[in-house]
Amino acid sequence: MTQTPILVDNQDHSHIENGHAENSPAIVENGDVSIPAKGQTKEEQITENVFQVNINLPHAPYDIQVMVSTQEQVQDLRQSIMESPGTFQYSCFHLESNGDRINDFVELSEVKGLSAGSKLKLVEDPYTEKEARMHLIRVREIIGAAGQKTDTLFGISAGLSLHDNVSPWKDPNVPATSSEKPLNGVTTDKKNALADYAFDGRPSIDTILPPILEQAPCTIKYLGLSAWNPPPPHLRQTGHLLYLQLTTNEGEQYQITSCISGFFVNRSSNNKFDPFPRQAPKKAAAHSLFTLIGILSPSFQKSFEALLDANNKRDPLANFQLTNAIPSSPWLVSPAVTSLTAHQPDLTRTQETYLMSGVENTETLRDWNEEIQSTRELPRETVQDRVFRERLISKIFAEFNEAAARGAVLVARGEIAPLNPTESKDAQIFVYNNVFFSFGADGVGTFTSEGGDEAARVAVGKDVAGVKAVNQLDIPGLATPGTIIVDYLGKRIVAQSIVPGIFKQREPDEHQVDYGGVEGRDVVAENDAFTSTFSQVSKALKVKRHPVWDKDGKKHMLEGSVETKGLLGTDGRKYILDLYRLTPLDVHWLEGTWNEGVDKTSSQDNLDYPHRMTVLRPELVEAYWRLKMGEYVKAEVEKRKQSGSANSHPELSNGVSGGMANGVEDKQDSTVSSEQSAPTDQPVEENGDQERVDISAFSLTLNPDVFSGQLPQTLDEKTEWARDEREVKAVCDFLRQKILPELIHDLKEGEAGFPMDGQSLTQLMHRRGINIRYLGKLCSLAEGQDGRLGALKALAVQEMIGRAFKHLVNLYLKNLPMAFAADCLAHLLNCLLGKGLNKSPRARLDEELQDYYQEADYSFAKATPESMKSEIEYQVRLRYRHELVRDWMDEVPNLQMLRNIALKLGLQLVAKDYQFTNDSQLTNGSSSPLLNGATGKHGMNGHTNRTVDGHNNGHVNGHSGGKKKRKGGRNSPTISIGTAFPHEQSTFSPSDIANLVPVIKDACPKSVLAEEALEAGKISMMQKQNEIGQELLLESLTLHEQIYGILNPEVARVYHQLAMLYYQLDEKSAAIELAHKAVIISERTLGIDSNETILSYLNLALFEHGNRNTTLALSCVRHALDLWKLIYGPKHPDSITTLNNAAVMLQQLQLYKESRQWFEVSLAISEEVSGKQSVNTATLLFQLAQALVLDQDHKGAVHRMREAYSIFLAKLGPEDPNTKESEKWLEQLTSNAVSMAKHAKDVQARRVRRVLFNNPRVGAARPPLPQAGQTSADLASGDSGGAQATRNSRFNDSRSIDELIKFIEGGGDMSKTSPAKKRTTRGNPKRRGRAAGAAI
């Protein structure tokens, strides 16, 4: 198995590279980590392990130098040579040291005599057919001749990045221009990016479309396989491997023979076969095809250099191919890439399979299961072992996911023959590329009593989540098959690696599985060989060892659910299967929504929940465990106090807290601080002494099989079972009575960032342990509320509608041929979103084509807007227990709903201004941008797995009104492909459906080693151990890059966090570099308009402004706001901070009038979201008053400051520092206004001197308010005035009132500011506790 090289710089890593500082604790070279030996300093280790070697080449430049590490393998050095600009042409070679050939798979430390300055010789090897094919592929890619690839998996424009067009990279070490740092009293004339920003404007789809780029320089006209392939046998034995055809830019055509010694021009033509070398002077040959092209084409070298220059204009990360992640496919694609002219002829496209796999197509066939299991069984004793192991695990899972997804797409399209063609379609199984495929449907009746197909669909999704959880535990001796699920064309397909022995025909008295339920719950198997490994899983996942009973009433003790199975494979490994019941059922939900024995039909009279697979989320179980552990610790402390031992600090014995994880001890110590374990609102220790409590005696496990039909036999068994049921009910009560209200409270008070879209709302709920079925409950809890909770309800309703529509589309697509998928989707979208343009849309069907598919279901053609409305209302009522308002279809934000649906179904639509109404008003929705008359919502990162429950994005949409500009027509061209009704106008046509991409859910685990380093770094930073914490975080970044590869979402998140750390440490250059990389990787892996990408742009703007690159910062803010407007709409509850940041940036450019407008918009949103009498609004009034002074509106400043003072006085009292501060400002501003009125004639007679407020958040030392990734605890430190006020209060000017009044009256040095220490007694108390800045 070859190893794909990780994208790691092959140069000296002792300098800062990708944010790595010189004092990094580990030396990294080509994917390896070196830990300094005992007694060695890091400098000594660097000197010993990293050095330079010389490589002697057979051709010019004949000699190069390469930095190497003793920890890297020879094959990594080979890859470095192949990727160096001067040695592109080499691909088939080996290295020699002192005349001895070096094995490619050994470490350089094993090469005898290798040291600094050593000389290695590059020796060209003879080609094999495979190497010749790989060389051809490589050369085509290098010289830009590979052409446009059509990929069935990744979609159109996959991995797109807009970064270079929005914020082109600028070295932060280069001083900012004078226009970015205007002198006092001088306003720059340069137009800023926000100059024409329309708060009430409609979103532009151009925001997410790449600009039309200049065509890359053409190096050749054509390079591919010749029609004379393959070589005949008598020539193959003489060394002929391939026959190629080359057409140069000069128009010359050459036939080329690839042989074992290289490439030469032969005497063949299109009509004559003569594959032997030409005679001089037309003779030409070279070992590398790249070199031969340069010999044959005089213009090749010049055009190739132009190609390299064009590629170098973009950030390298925007060009690199993704290896360990599936690139994101945009939901809107440019019409240019879907036009007929965009598809260029390239015969080699049809030959790629042969070039990659050979004639027999066997080179890519892999035993996925063996590779996965053998990789997981690699040694893990040392750090180097763990890095190498986790790197390979990440690689093999990524490759399996891609191969399985490709096979699933073919299965959904019906292009693979089933193994059991006589069975029903839902029961059919497939094997392709050594991957096993089945449908997520109840084809054999396994889930009949649980809800049939609905239950089966949910079960396979839960199974993937369970496999991922077990993979994360990484328990030695326990194997899981590679597993993903793919949603495509209305079908859910499960793809798994083939477990050896799963198809084995067993003896009549043998069970098909070795542990757990064999045939449902009727037959149960036990096997002591599985007990120890299953017990480790159960302990880590809080699963109770419990009895179950078979159909004969016989008792069996199982470590997991009866549905979880153990299989002893023929390879001797123990496999754990069917992991969809790791947590108990949500009994409270079932009690109100499920009736046993009732016929589950699709009739709208039936309101029973579609299935019984309503399991609780693992996050909820973990939260409940922490609650109970906190109560236990508090009780133990109270016992000690009562026994007089409260002041003692005994050393306690090791206990068990959370079981085994990753094959090593749980990183949580068995002795837990009572301060950390107990709830924060219930302090354990009044005197601050830290008690250590042994929690080894604490245990909380749940029985996953309660309420699922088990029948205890004896009285003791019934008693124990009843106790298990009570515990599960307690967890359900905990969800409804604590978790849900807490989420509502946190969102209302601003202690949790508001989600931007349905995806971020979903992930927020999941992180809190709340299932999506509780969306209706969230709406009920937010009922009747305005502001933030009104926005929450609107977003929840929008998500419910989107999910209901997805379920309906899946039903229509399930039994529909792919040829009609675009017709179906266009018609259903017209019924939902196109009613305003055409009240009676008609489906477009090709009747002749229908005759070929007699058994297909064309019921979608009967759908109407009225039936769609009724069906969605029923689905929302059925699945979420929520009643939609009568006119909800008129209130749907059309463009945002279209995006929501496209992401859920994998649609790629042609980008154009879709017309949703018949009044020529091309808008993104109705006059009300959100549902039910509520305001919008934005703000939180929803694509990550990090702990963002308390994150305050504080990012803004920037819209203040609902008015929309009118335009007379569409401004983007459309491409007509399919047939249409000439006299009928509709919003969507089949030609608008450019592509469908599969939606994939995988079970790839995270890197434990990298996560451990990250968590350790965070803890050290929290404990003020900055140097250690910084080193650990740098090491974590290094590990993430090595294990995942650079282009991976996990790496982007670490870049984001480390950039914030550097910014706090005032290392702005490193922070900006990492922030740029975070933006690019987020765009390419998560989406160009994902909420996480928006946050990355806003943080990049923050860092650039802190480095005084304000113009570039405003460009980032503008792009983020445009994206926000596109995916959400106006007036997000958390938008105030970003508006304020933009206003401060405008002040830095001395654009005081524009800055004032942005402050006013933020105030308007605060009044709507928080209320006119809220502390948040008062804080904004305070800030606006300061901005009005800058804009010379002293009367308005007095008015706004008086309003702020009145609110502070009423809400906080006269003794609050906020009240006192605003009172002092009000007195001085009033006095100054009166004084200036008395001297009005003098003011008119002379020039009014301009006042400059050097806002403390503008200077390099104090940047604008951090706006993403912060928790409320980090920002507010427990203040009671509200998180939003906390965020905004930091914009107050830092100078004393006397100085400001002196400025206003026309005197004083405007360049001076008061020392920061003077502000400590005058500042808003909301500012205190936030000096730590952004959270890690």
Side-chain angles (χ1 to χ4, degrees), residues 1026-1040:
N1026 290 346
E1027 184 176 353
I1028 297 176
Q1030 185 176 359
E1031 289 184 358
L1032 288 169
L1033 290 171
L1034 289 170
E1035 183 174 350
S1036 173
L1037 174 60
T1038 300
L1039 293 171
H1040 275 84

Side-chain angles (χ1 to χ4, degrees), residues 1128-1150:
Y1128 171 72
K1131 299 182 182 179
H1132 184 272
D1134 280 347
S1135 63
I1136 301 170
T1137 299
T1138 299
L1139 288 171
N1140 283 357
N1141 281 353
V1144 171
M1145 293 176 189
L1146 292 170
Q1147 283 184 349
Q1148 173 75 356
L1149 299 177
Q1150 297 190 6

Side-chain angles (χ1 to χ4, degrees), residues 65 96 427 676 1096 1112:
Q65 289 76 40
E96 291 183 357
Q676 298 172 356
S1096 296
L1112 180 59

Side-chain angles (χ1 to χ4, degrees), residues 1320-1334:
T1320 57
T1321 59
R1322 297 179 180 272
N1324 189 321
K1326 302 279 184 292
R1327 300 177 58 184
R1328 294 192 289 273
R1330 302 183 55 164

Side-chain angles (χ1 to χ4, degrees), residues 1041-1080:
E1041 290 177 343
Q1042 296 174 79
I1043 292 170
Y1044 294 111
I1046 299 293
L1047 297 176
N1048 190 281
E1050 297 298 327
V1051 176
R1053 288 160 192 149
V1054 176
Y1055 279 159
H1056 173 82
Q1057 297 182 47
L1058 196 58
M1060 299 181 72
L1061 167 68
Y1062 274 127
Y1063 190 72
Q1064 295 171 43
L1065 298 177
D1066 204 27
E1067 296 185 20
K1068 295 184 174 61
S1069 296
I1072 291 173
E1073 181 182 356
L1074 291 175
H1076 277 279
K1077 292 182 178 182
V1079 167
I1080 297 174

Side-chain angles (χ1 to χ4, degrees), residues 805 824-835 868 898 901 907 909 987-988 993:
F805 182 79
C824 174
L825 290 166
H827 179 64
L828 296 179
L829 287 172
N830 282 326
C831 291
L832 177 65
L833 302 176
K835 178 183 176 183
M868 178 64 66
L898 180 61
I901 291 170
L907 300 185
L909 302 163
T987 304
F988 302 94
I993 312 298

Side-chain angles (χ1 to χ4, degrees), residues 1301-1313:
I1301 296 303
K1302 190 175 181 180
F1303 297 157
I1304 294 172
E1305 292 175 347
D1309 184 357
M1310 291 188 291
S1311 64
K1312 295 181 180 179
T1313 59

Side-chain angles (χ1 to χ4, degrees), residues 524-557:
V524 180
E526 291 184 82
N527 190 325
D528 293 338
F530 287 85
T531 302
S532 61
T533 51
F534 272 50
S535 65
Q536 296 180 57
V537 176
S538 299
K539 187 180 295 183
L541 299 179
K542 316 295 186 298
V543 178
K544 181 178 181 179
R545 186 172 187 266
H546 61 280
V548 296
W549 296 266
D550 57 23
K551 61 182 180 181
D552 298 326
K554 183 180 178 181
K555 178 179 176 181
H556 303 268
M557 293 299 297

